[in-house]
């Protein structure tokens, strides 16, 4: 027979259809000629090498199937050759034949096709055994399902409604299945929403596939005598629990997996499912939800479709260790957006502020950090004309760069400049758009004028030095050590000032014969405000893009009058989609030619894999880097 073999632990491509021996039938088993098998999250974990089958089980993936009985063991009663059935498996569903204990076999419910029935056994047994048998969900109680659009979720909604429960889900599109409340977890706080809908009480039972990342929030969402059942660990396995949350409300936390149970326990669950769930299916109250079907030979494509992407999640405001790589749902693209399979993302100071809880993403933006990325377009919205699948691009984001995929408005996408690698291109969009929009568009730096850049060795600084020199300006920078002085000098800076050992106001006045500079690009804020004004020439322009030293400063307005000075401040992230698209267009027209001619180059200090985002943040906060820090997806 043919079966899908996991050739080695890894991505979907390790799945290969091979010729293998037929399974041997034991006395208490039936042999099923498989019509269909359904994918489960456990199959992807087994493929990666992190969820091996139980001892004695088939090594092939597949935890449920449907088909026709081809042979029966000598101790089997109740089943005969030719019966059309579905079955709960410990493995082996991705094959043309599978042997399964007779107690784990179910008849095909009336009204369900043989193929559709393959999507029932695992979800039915999981939901019934955890939600009803273990956690005793009763009519009139309230039930919260995380991942409501999954196979487990769609089944749990229907069976819970058929049994008289009120159902809340954290998914946007489950109303048609009967869910009473659909919470978009990307834009709403599910704890607050649950409390609002229950008059502050909370829900009675929660079915959770996330694990560590949701533990405390789940406990906060429970009513008195509430029960939390964890059946997945997509958000990690280890986290802190506040035991004092359990005592006052008499809460119960349970974890359960179906696959490791022994055949007797599984047979008992299957028997309960046939008695309690099958009648609801026959009555039409519960229906199998099938998203897509693939031939067995396309198991790789099926796994790619099911696979959740990974993203760096800010689990709570705090230090770098709050950044955790987790499995999350892929972003949905709008008609005017493209979906980018991320090659790399670059760190920015805004990511650190967001991690600390001081700089939330704009409304509707991805909650994951990352303000710029590079990668390959994987899908385009209906209204997108310029870009096509396969294009290599980089993009200015409002968030979401620290992920394997990101959706972004098409107007914020740029081609990768010739001569720049796909990964290095991730270092360009945010710095290019920031510098062009502030120094050139707003502050109108002209050839022959002088620009002072604070933080000359940063990503913004190293880029600003190069583009200002390309446009014919004179460039002064402040940095904090001799190594950075030398680097900025090599980039073309005309004057490099060590702010730790020199007074930059005095040095600027010396170098300009007392006049001062024409434009200042400043990331320091309050502590430098008056000194920056003292450094400016007549008609000088100060543009503040950061406030490392704070936001409140004393201002001598008289100094502004005398020299007709301007102070401006702006953040790129909070601009509208239309404004960002306009800036991106200007950057492509004015900055990209400088990059493609080799006059401006990306400066990359170090690259980290996405899973080491915390280490990358520590490096950025140390200030020991020069240029950009990249995360490679």
């Amino acid at each position: 027979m043919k079966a899908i073999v996991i050739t080695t632990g890894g991505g979907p491509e390790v799945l290969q259809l091979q010729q293998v021996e037929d399974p041997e039938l034991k006395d208490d088993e039936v042999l099923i000629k498989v019509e269909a098998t359904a994918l489960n999250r456990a199959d992807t974990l087994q493929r990666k090498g992190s969820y091996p089958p139980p001892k004695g089980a088939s090594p092939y993936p597949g935890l449920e199937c449907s088909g026709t009985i081809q042979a029966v063991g000598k101790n089997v009663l109740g089943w005969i050759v030719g019966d059309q059935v579905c079955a709960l498996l410990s493995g082996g569903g991705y094959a043309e034949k599978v042997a399964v204990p007779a107690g784990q076999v179910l008849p095909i419910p009336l009204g369900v096709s043989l193929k559709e029935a393959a999507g029932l056994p695992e979800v039915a047994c999981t939901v019934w055994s955890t939600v009803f048998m273990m956690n005793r969900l009763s009519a009139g109680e309230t039930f919260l399902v995380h991942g409501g659009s999954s196979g487990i979720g769609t089944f749990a909604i229907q069976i819970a409604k058929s049994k008289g429960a009120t159902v809340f889900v954290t998914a946007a599109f489950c109303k048609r299945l009967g869910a009473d409340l659909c919470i978009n977890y990307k834009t709403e706080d599910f704890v607050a929403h649950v409390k609002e809908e229950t008059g502050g009480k909370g829900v009675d039972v929660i079915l959770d596939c996330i694990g560590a990342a949701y533990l405390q929030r789940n406990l906060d969402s429970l009513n008195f005598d509430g029960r939390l059942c964890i059946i997945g660990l997509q958000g990690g396995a280890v986290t802190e629990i506040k035991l004092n949350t359990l005592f006052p409300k008499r809460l119960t936390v349970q974890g359960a997996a179906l696959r490791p149970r022994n055949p007797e326990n599984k047979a008992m669950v299957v028997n309960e499912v046939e008695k309690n769930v099958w009648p609801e299916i026959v009555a039409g109250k519960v229906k199998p939800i099938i998203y897509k079907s693939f031939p067995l030979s396309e198991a790789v494509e099926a796994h790619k479709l099911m696979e959740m992407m990974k993203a760096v999640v800010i689990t709570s405001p705090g230090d770098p260790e709050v950044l955790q790589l987790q499995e999350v749902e892929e972003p949905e693209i709008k008609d005017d957006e493209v979906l980018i399979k991320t090659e790399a993302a670059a760190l920015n100071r805004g990511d650190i502020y967001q991690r600390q809880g001081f700089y939330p993403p704009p409304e509707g933006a991805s909650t994951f950090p990352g303000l710029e990325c590079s990668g390959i377009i994987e899908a385009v919205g209906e209204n997108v004309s310029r870009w096509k699948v396969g294009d290599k691009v980089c993009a200015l984001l409002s968030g979401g760069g620290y992920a394997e995929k990101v959706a972004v408005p098409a107007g914020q996408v740029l081609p990768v400049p010739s001569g720049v690698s796909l990964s290095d291109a991730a270092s360009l969009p945010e710095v290019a758009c920031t510098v062009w929009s502030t120094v050139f568009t707003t502050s109108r730096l002209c050839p022959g004028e002088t620009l002072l850049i604070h933080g000359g060795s940063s990503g913004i600084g190293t880029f600003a030095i190069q583009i200002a020199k390309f446009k014919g300006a004179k460039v002064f920078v402040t940095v904090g050590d001799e190594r950075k002085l030398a680097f900025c000098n090599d980039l073309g800076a005309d004057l490099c000032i060590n702010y730790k050992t020199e007074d930059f106001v005095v040095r600027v006045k010396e170098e300009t014969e007392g006049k001062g500079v024409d434009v200042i690009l400043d990331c320091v804020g309050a502590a430098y405000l008056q000194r920056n004004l003292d450094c400016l020439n007549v008609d000088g322009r100060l543009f503040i893009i950061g406030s490392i030293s704070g936001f409140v400063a004393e201002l001598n307005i008289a100094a502004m009058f005398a020299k007709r000075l301007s102070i401006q401040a702006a953040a790129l992230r909070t601009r509208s989609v239309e404004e960002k698209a306009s800036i991106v267009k200007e950057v492509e027209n004015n900055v990209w030619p400088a990059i493609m001619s080799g006059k401006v180059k990306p400066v990359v200090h170090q690259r980290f894999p996405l899973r080491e985002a915390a280490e990358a943040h520590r490096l950025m906060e140390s200030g020991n880097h020069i240029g950009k820090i990249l995360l490679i997806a």
Side-chain angles (χ1 to χ4, degrees):
M1 72 172 187
K2 291 179 181 175
I4 295 294
V5 176
I6 301 172
T7 55
T8 183
E13 64 279 357
V14 305
L15 300 175
Q16 291 186 11
L17 186 63
Q18 297 182 3
Q19 199 76 34
V20 299
E21 292 185 2
D22 282 6
E24 294 182 5
L25 190 65
K26 296 177 183 175
D27 291 345
D28 60 349
E29 293 180 335
V30 301
L31 181 67
I32 298 175
K33 186 178 187 302
V34 177
E35 171 74 15
T37 186
L39 270 67
N40 288 278
R41 183 68 49 194
D43 301 339
T44 65
L45 297 176
Q46 180 178 341
R47 189 201 74 224
K48 295 172 184 177
S50 56
Y51 193 38
K55 187 176 180 180
S58 169
Y60 314 128
L63 300 181
E64 56 190 336
C65 76
S66 62
T68 303
I69 293 179
Q70 198 169 63
V72 296
K74 64 181 181 181
N75 294 338
V76 173
L77 301 174
W79 301 112
I80 59 174
V81 172
D83 281 346
Q84 292 191 335
V85 296
C86 54
L88 178 69
L89 312 174
S90 297
Y94 289 24
E96 292 179 327
K97 299 177 185 178
V98 63
V100 56
Q104 293 170 215
V105 179
L106 287 151
I108 304 295
L110 189 66
V112 176
S113 72
L114 182 59
K115 183 181 291 184
E116 289 176 331
L120 291 173
E122 172 76 12
V123 293
C125 290
T126 296
V127 173
W128 189 259
S129 65
T130 56
V131 176
F132 293 91
M133 295 172 69
M134 292 172 61
N135 287 290
R136 311 173 311 284
L137 179 68
S138 304
E141 289 193 311
T142 303
F143 175 44
L144 171 62
V145 186
H146 290 301
S149 60
S150 67
I152 291 283
T154 54
F155 189 89
I157 292 167
Q158 296 179 83
I159 192 65
K161 288 299 295 180
S162 77
K163 297 298 183 181
T166 298
V167 179
F168 297 171
V169 298
T170 52
F173 306 106
C174 294
K175 275 282 186 186
R176 68 182 181 87
L177 291 177
D180 298 281
L181 175 67
C182 298
I183 304 168
N184 187 337
Y185 69 90
K186 295 179 182 178
T187 60
E188 301 175 275
D189 181 343
F190 73 80
V191 181
H193 220 15
V194 162
K195 291 293 183 70
E196 287 173 10
E197 293 291 328
T198 59
K201 294 178 180 178
V203 298
D204 300 294
V205 176
I206 298 176
L207 185 64
D208 174 57
C209 58
I210 304 298
Y214 273 14
L215 179 60
Q216 191 57 50
R217 296 170 71 196
N218 279 330
L219 297 178
D220 293 340
S221 300
L222 283 171
N223 194 3
F224 283 91
D225 295 311
R227 293 88 77 192
L228 166 63
C229 188
I230 303 171
I231 59 169
L233 300 170
Q234 294 172 25
V238 180
T239 189
E240 183 181 82
I241 184 170
K242 297 176 182 177
L243 294 176
N244 60 356
T245 309
L246 305 180
F247 286 105
K249 294 197 289 182
R250 304 183 297 273
L251 304 183
T252 301
V253 179
Q254 291 180 308
L258 191 58
R259 189 182 200 184
R261 299 183 186 215
N262 62 40
E264 293 74 24
N265 189 281
K266 289 177 181 174
M268 182 266 292
V269 171
V270 165
N271 186 51
E272 288 294 309
V273 164
E274 186 173 356
K275 287 193 299 185
N276 295 283
V277 177
W278 256 222
E280 304 297 314
I281 297 173
V282 172
K285 296 179 181 179
V286 178
K287 298 178 181 179
I289 306 296
I290 309 298
Y291 179 74
K292 193 172 183 179
S293 300
F294 292 85
L296 192 61
S297 59
E298 294 181 13
V300 170
E301 294 306 312
H303 270 236
K304 286 179 179 176
L305 179 62
M306 186 180 202
E307 200 89 275
M308 296 183 78
M309 76 170 189
K310 291 186 176 67
V312 174
V313 176
I314 301 171
T315 54
S316 64
D319 293 329
E321 59 270 12
V322 304
L323 299 174
Q324 292 186 10
L325 187 64
Q326 298 180 1
E327 285 195 340
V328 299
E329 290 185 7
E330 288 190 10
E332 297 175 4
I333 61 168
K334 300 173 184 174
D335 290 344
D336 59 349
E337 292 182 333
V338 303
L339 182 67
I340 298 175
K341 187 177 188 303
T342 307
E343 172 75 13
L347 270 66
N348 288 278
R349 185 66 52 182
D351 302 339
I352 290 175
Y353 296 148
Q354 180 177 342
R355 190 203 75 218
Q356 294 170 337
F358 302 134
Y359 193 36
E363 185 176 354
S366 170
T367 58
F368 313 130
L371 301 179
E372 56 190 335
C373 77
S374 62
I376 298 173
I377 291 180
E378 196 168 85
V380 297
E382 288 186 7
N383 298 336
V384 176
S385 57
R386 177 180 180 184
W387 306 107
K388 64 182 186 300
V389 173
D391 283 346
K392 293 182 178 181
V393 296
C394 54
L396 178 69
L397 312 174
S398 297
Y402 290 22
E404 290 178 329
K405 297 181 183 180
V406 62
V408 56
Q412 293 168 215
V413 178
L414 287 151
V416 173
S418 59
V420 176
S421 71
L422 184 58
S423 62
D424 283 359
S427 69
L428 294 173
E430 173 76 12
V431 293
C433 291
T434 296
V435 173
W436 188 260
S437 64
T438 57
V439 174
F440 293 92
T441 302
T442 304
S443 295
R444 309 175 311 283
L445 181 70
C446 299
E449 290 192 314
T450 304
L451 169 68
L452 171 62
I453 306 164
H454 292 301
S457 63
S458 66
I460 291 282
T462 54
F463 189 89
I465 292 168
Q466 297 179 83
I467 192 65
K469 291 299 295 181
F470 176 78
K471 293 296 183 181
K474 195 171 187 178
V475 178
F476 297 172
V477 300
T478 62
V479 292
D481 61 46
E482 296 302 316
R483 178 177 62 103
K484 294 177 179 178
L485 285 172
F487 192 91
C488 292
N489 184 68
D490 290 343
L491 281 180
D494 298 281
L495 174 66
C496 300
I497 305 166
N498 188 334
Y499 67 85
K500 294 181 179 178
T501 60
E502 301 176 273
D503 184 332
F504 71 81
V505 180
V506 173
R507 285 299 307 279
V508 164
K509 290 294 184 69
E510 288 175 354
E511 292 291 327
T512 60
E513 298 179 350
K515 294 178 181 179
V517 297
D518 301 292
V519 177
I520 300 175
L521 184 63
D522 175 56
C523 59
V524 178
Y528 274 14
L529 179 60
Q530 193 59 52
R531 296 172 72 194
N532 279 330
L533 296 179
D534 293 342
C535 286
L536 283 172
N537 193 1
V538 175
D539 293 315
R541 292 87 77 193
L542 167 62
F543 207 107
I544 303 171
I545 58 169
S547 296
I548 295 171
S549 67
F551 295 93
V552 181
E554 186 177 84
L555 173 63
N556 183 350
I557 301 174
M560 298 182 65
F561 280 108
K563 293 196 286 182
R564 301 186 299 275
L565 304 182
S566 301
I567 303 173
Q568 290 183 301
L572 188 59
R573 187 184 200 183
T574 52
R575 294 181 187 240
S576 69
V577 172
E578 293 75 21
E579 286 180 299
K580 289 176 182 174
S582 176
I583 292 169
V584 165
K585 186 176 180 180
E586 287 293 308
V587 164
E588 185 173 359
N589 290 338
N590 295 281
V591 178
W592 255 223
I595 297 172
M596 290 188 286
S597 70
K599 303 291 185 178
V600 176
K601 298 178 180 179
V603 178
V604 177
H605 179 84
Q606 191 170 341
R607 299 166 179 81
F608 292 84
L610 197 59
R611 66 178 180 276
E612 294 181 13
E615 291 305 312
H617 271 232
R618 289 188 184 99
L619 174 59
M620 182 172 233
E621 289 182 293
S622 75
N624 291 328
H625 65 291
I626 294 174
K628 301 289 283 188
I629 300 167
L630 299 185
L631 292 174
I632 307 300

